[in-house]
Amino acid sequence: MALRRAGGRRRGRDRAAAAAPGPGAAVGVVGRQRLGPFDVARLTATDPAALDSWLRANGFTLPARLKTALTPYVAEHWEYVAIRLAPDTASATLRGALDPLHLTFAADRAVYPMRLSRLAATPQSLGLYVLAAHRMEPATAIGGLPPRTVYAGRLTNPGGALGTLARGTPYLTALTQQFPQPARISGDHELRRAASDTPVQQVIYDDELDRVAGIPAWLLTVGGLAVLLVAALAVLAVRRARRPVPPPPPVAPPPPLA
């Protein structure tokens, strides 16, 4: 389930205006549509328990703990985008790659939701790409290891979909962060402008042994030198063995005694 700040423009085939829950209703359905194999619902809520009940009643499977985790977002009047895979028939099997979904909305702050990740039972990692007018950074670590900037730079004439997204926001910042203990996540990431637009380019060195017929080249080199050395010693030994030995000088008998 995706979260977004309530209020603002959205792009897509469903252009229904944001609908607050009606009198006596704790959940408001902004819009619901089928996008290929996806069943997508946009919702508002004034009660996290009611939101949990609506999602379950409409086929969205959620962890039991999610009801409590949604409380801060309900209090701040966020809007929710619930997405589930829904084949045309119950017996149908989905195959192949899924097309990505594109969510667009306006907000007064750059916020990346992270609170729900505290429900994870295993360590989590975050890879976040931010397009803005300048280099961006998280305001705090929100309970994880310090965030690292692996790339920062101004894009020059990007093409395709990236060029469309970067129009007016040509500075790309790529961030990564590890959360060894997800339960310590204390909030959402709020992004702010960095102190400078200094570019960053991460360089990764990948050392690999050269191989010849599957054998490491260094082994062949060292082994070849060892063979040459043994051969040279053998040649020297053979030459020494074949070298003629001069006869000893003649021995003169001692003079006779008087």
Side-chain angles (χ1 to χ4, degrees), residues 60-82:
F60 294 88
T61 304
L62 300 173
R65 295 179 296 168
L66 189 63
K67 180 171 61 176
T68 303
L70 290 174
T71 300
Y73 297 113
V74 172
E76 295 179 11
H77 306 290
W78 281 51
E79 185 177 306
Y80 313 91
V81 180

Side-chain angles (χ1 to χ4, degrees), residues 127-140:
L128 186 60
Y129 296 82
V130 184
L131 283 169
H134 301 277
R135 178 174 166 177
M136 303 293 284
E137 64 181 10
T140 66

Side-chain angles (χ1 to χ4, degrees), residues 3 10 15 21 64 78 107 115 120 128 151 172 192 237 240:
L3 303 173
R10 292 166 298 279
R15 297 180 177 271
W78 281 51
R115 285 190 179 110
L128 186 60
Y151 179 85
L172 175 63
R192 65 189 181 189
R240 182 179 295 274

Side-chain angles (χ1 to χ4, degrees), residues 175-193:
L175 305 163
T176 184
Q177 187 180 14
Q178 303 297 320
F179 295 89
Q181 296 177 287
R184 293 187 174 183
I185 296 176
S186 58
D188 299 322
H189 262 319
E190 292 201 24
L191 301 168
R192 65 189 181 189
R193 180 178 175 180

Side-chain angles (χ1 to χ4, degrees), residues 1-2 12 92 94 98 122 137 158 172-173 183 189 207 218 241 252:
M1 184 172 68
L94 295 175
L98 295 172
T122 58
E137 64 181 10
L172 175 63
T173 307
H189 262 319
D207 297 328
W218 71 268

Side-chain angles (χ1 to χ4, degrees), residues 161-220:
L162 179 59
T164 302
L165 291 173
R167 189 174 298 128
T169 55
Y171 202 100
L172 175 63
T173 307
L175 305 163
T176 184
Q177 187 180 14
Q178 303 297 320
F179 295 89
Q181 296 177 287
R184 293 187 174 183
I185 296 176
S186 58
D188 299 322
H189 262 319
E190 292 201 24
L191 301 168
R192 65 189 181 189
R193 180 178 175 180
S196 67
D197 287 345
T198 304
V200 174
Q201 176 67 63
Q202 180 177 244
V203 178
I204 299 176
Y205 295 94
D206 187 8
D207 297 328
E208 184 176 350
L209 292 175
D210 291 332
R211 295 178 179 272
V212 177
I215 302 174
W218 71 268
L219 186 59
L220 292 176

